[in-house]
């Protein structure tokens, strides 16, 4: 966040980017020779899609799974599949470079504190701004460690002359492990543990050995969650616009890749704020602080069959710009203003009355 100590006479604000201008690239938020430039925000929609990826790796003895362990329909080919587990939407603010204003400097006035975000959005005047929401990417939970099944193989298994013989001997070990576990559970083992904690530890170790050796036949299936984030800035209503394509075998693919099924987005302006009419649209910008009066939008994501998620969100670009009088910020008052970083609307306004 950037902060600037400014001297303000009337808090003279001018709209920087009018229709008559052909270039806005020279206007950068912050301090310049004329004063300080700030932007109002427009509202973007951040779409977070969580996808479960399932990776199957066949075991070394997968073709013997039915013969020795009676495991049916075990695949001998590796595979990866994807499925969408959750889609959610949230509003976030970005600088609207078409709503840029400049604060004129004047050394004769009382100093005021203007706080801007890193991209130049006005956050507060004479106050510490509220924190700008920062998106935190999803982090997968750590995976449970598995034993290496080869480390559990006996010398006899490793010395076997064929895969079939190794599979047979490994299956015998698996059945012995299961028998030992059952005897412990029934309390019939020759060397029963003396307390519950020791029993639990022994059962856990036998379970790990069973799973590890069985994976040589059944293969291993690993599931993890990945996150895809798409951010869009709606500028108008849309009934059916392609958002992304999704394939169960490939995940999210390119928009022109027909291997993926299409997912669409619909934007509806709820017209929560009446639009100005006639001369009010054309009236000259006056002295003061310009803020947003945001509207609302309904954002719906759907596939070819049905809606998946629908959310009402604030929308600065579907609202109006309003003026706070510059008189609030002259030497007679100490005015503190907080703006919402997502919408540019007033969060709080405090003004000390003159003594």
């Amino acid at each position: 966040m950037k902060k600037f100590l400014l001297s303000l006479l009337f808090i003279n604000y001018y709209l920087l980017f009018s229709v008559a201008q052909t270039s806005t690239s020279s206007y950068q938020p912050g301090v310049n020779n004329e004063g300080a430039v700030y932007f109002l925000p427009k509202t973007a929609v951040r779409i977070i899609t969580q996808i479960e990826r399932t990776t199957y790796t066949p075991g070394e003895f997968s073709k013997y799974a039915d013969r020795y362990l009676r495991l049916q329909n075990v695949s001998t080919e590796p595979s990866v599949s994807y499925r969408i587990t959750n889609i959610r939407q949230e509003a976030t603010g970005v600088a609207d470079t078409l709503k840029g204003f400049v604060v004129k400097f004047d050394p004769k006035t009382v100093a005021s504190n203007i706080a801007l975000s890193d991209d130049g959005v006005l956050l507060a005047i004479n106050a510490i701004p509220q924190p700008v929401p920062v998106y935190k990417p999803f982090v997968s939970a750590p995976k449970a460690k598995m034993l290496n099944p080869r480390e559990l193989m006996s010398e006899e298994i490793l010395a076997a002359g064929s895969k079939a013989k190794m599979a047979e001997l490994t299956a015998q070990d698996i059945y012995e492990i299961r028998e030992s576990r059952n005897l412990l559970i029934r309390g019939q083992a020759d060397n029963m543990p003396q307390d519950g904690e020791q029993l639990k530890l022994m059962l856990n170790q036998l379970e790990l050995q069973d799973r590890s050796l069985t994976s040589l036949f059944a293969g291993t299936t690993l599931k993890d969650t990945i996150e895809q984030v798409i951010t869009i800035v709606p500028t108008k209503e849309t009934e059916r616009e392609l958002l992304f394509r999704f394939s169960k075998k490939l995940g999210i693919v390119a928009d022109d890749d027909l291997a993926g099924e299409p997912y669409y987005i619909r934007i509806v302006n709820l017209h929560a704020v009446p639009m100005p009419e006639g001369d009010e649209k054309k009236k000259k910008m006056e002295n003061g602080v310009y803020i947003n009066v945001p509207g609302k939008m309904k954002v719906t994501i759907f596939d070819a069959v049905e809606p998946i998620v629908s959310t009402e969100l604030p929308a600065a670009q579907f609202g109006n710009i309003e003026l706070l009088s510059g008189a609030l910020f002259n030497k007679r008052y100490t005015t503190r203003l907080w703006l919402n970083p997502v919408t540019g609307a007033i969060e709080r306004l405090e003004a000390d009355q003159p003594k």
Side-chain angles (χ1 to χ4, degrees):
M1 184 186 67
K2 303 173 183 176
K3 295 183 179 180
F4 304 100
L5 291 177
L6 307 179
S7 294
L8 313 178
L9 179 56
F10 303 115
I11 308 205
N12 222 352
Y13 288 76
Y14 297 95
L15 184 64
L16 288 178
F17 310 129
S18 64
V19 176
Q21 288 177 304
T22 58
S23 174
T24 62
S25 60
S26 60
Y27 293 101
Q28 298 296 328
V31 175
N32 59 28
N33 293 332
E34 295 182 348
V37 175
Y38 75 87
F39 298 133
L40 291 178
K42 54 186 173 182
T43 306
V45 181
R46 183 184 291 127
I47 300 159
I48 303 108
T49 304
Q50 289 189 339
I51 301 168
E52 182 184 75
R53 177 174 57 196
T54 302
T55 304
Y56 169 74
T57 304
E60 186 177 351
F61 307 142
S62 58
K63 66 179 182 179
Y64 304 106
D66 187 22
R67 182 190 302 180
Y68 294 121
L69 292 185
R70 298 296 184 263
L71 298 176
Q72 299 179 349
N73 301 320
V74 173
S75 175
T76 59
E77 298 296 328
S79 65
V80 180
S81 63
Y82 299 82
R83 72 181 184 97
I84 294 175
T85 57
N86 185 46
I87 298 179
R88 71 180 192 275
Q89 305 172 112
E90 58 186 37
T92 184
V94 297
D96 188 343
T97 56
L98 296 180
K99 292 181 182 177
F101 303 87
V102 63
V103 181
K104 289 289 187 177
F105 290 166
D106 194 304
K108 299 178 182 178
T109 58
V110 64
S112 294
N113 187 330
I114 287 187
L116 304 180
S117 68
D118 291 339
D119 56 354
V121 172
L122 179 63
L123 299 177
I125 297 178
N126 294 334
I128 298 174
Q130 59 177 310
V132 178
V134 177
Y135 174 69
K136 295 181 179 180
F138 173 81
V139 178
S140 301
K143 302 295 183 296
K145 292 184 178 180
M146 287 191 63
L147 297 175
N148 183 352
R150 283 210 160 251
E151 293 179 357
L152 301 176
M153 289 183 177
S154 65
E155 183 179 355
E156 183 182 5
I157 295 174
L158 294 173
S162 66
K163 284 282 185 184
K165 187 61 176 178
M166 290 180 69
E168 180 184 0
L169 294 173
T170 302
Q172 291 175 7
D173 275 1
I174 291 172
Y175 286 123
E176 289 176 5
I177 290 170
R178 293 176 181 177
E179 179 64 21
S180 298
R181 185 176 58 198
N182 289 335
L183 290 173
L184 282 172
I185 293 173
R186 295 169 186 162
Q188 298 173 353
D190 293 338
N191 297 307
M192 286 296 297
Q194 297 181 358
D195 55 53
E197 281 300 316
Q198 190 177 7
L199 174 62
K200 183 178 179 181
L201 180 62
M202 292 176 67
L203 289 174
N204 286 341
Q205 285 298 316
L206 290 171
E207 174 67 22
L208 283 174
Q209 292 176 22
D210 185 352
R211 283 206 311 253
S212 181
L213 290 175
T214 301
S215 70
L216 291 168
F217 296 87
T220 56
T221 300
L222 298 178
K223 294 186 177 183
D224 62 336
T225 300
I226 56 179
E227 191 173 74
Q228 297 280 349
V229 179
I230 300 172
T231 301
I232 64 170
V233 183
T235 57
K236 60 181 180 180
E237 291 186 297
T238 179
E239 180 62 27
R240 184 185 178 94
E241 184 175 335
L242 181 65
L243 181 62
F244 61 82
R245 288 182 176 272
F246 178 79
S247 166
K248 292 181 179 180
K249 294 184 178 180
L250 302 172
I252 290 183
V253 297
D255 289 351
D256 58 354
D257 189 341
L258 299 182
E261 296 295 324
Y263 282 69
Y264 302 98
I265 188 168
R266 178 185 298 122
I267 306 291
V268 177
N269 182 355
L270 297 180
H271 299 286
V273 177
M275 297 302 292
E277 298 180 358
D279 294 339
E280 290 188 15
K281 287 185 178 181
K282 301 178 182 179
K283 69 180 181 180
K284 181 180 178 181
M285 289 292 177
E286 300 171 357
N287 296 332
V289 179
Y290 291 96
I291 53 95
N292 282 331
V293 180
K296 288 185 178 181
M297 58 184 168
K298 186 174 184 180
V299 184
T300 303
I301 297 173
F302 56 99
D303 59 15
V305 179
E306 61 184 356
I308 297 170
V309 60
S310 187
T311 312
E312 288 190 12
L313 299 171
Q317 55 271 43
F318 292 153
N320 299 327
I321 300 175
E322 295 293 341
L323 174 70
L324 291 180
S325 173
L328 285 171
F329 297 91
N330 64 26
K331 290 189 294 184
R332 299 177 61 227
Y333 297 91
T334 300
T335 302
R336 291 175 292 278
L337 173 67
W338 291 264
L339 296 183
N340 186 294
V342 174
T343 65
I346 295 176
E347 285 282 312
R348 190 157 45 127
L349 178 65
E350 297 177 357
D352 296 339
Q353 295 298 321
K355 296 181 181 179

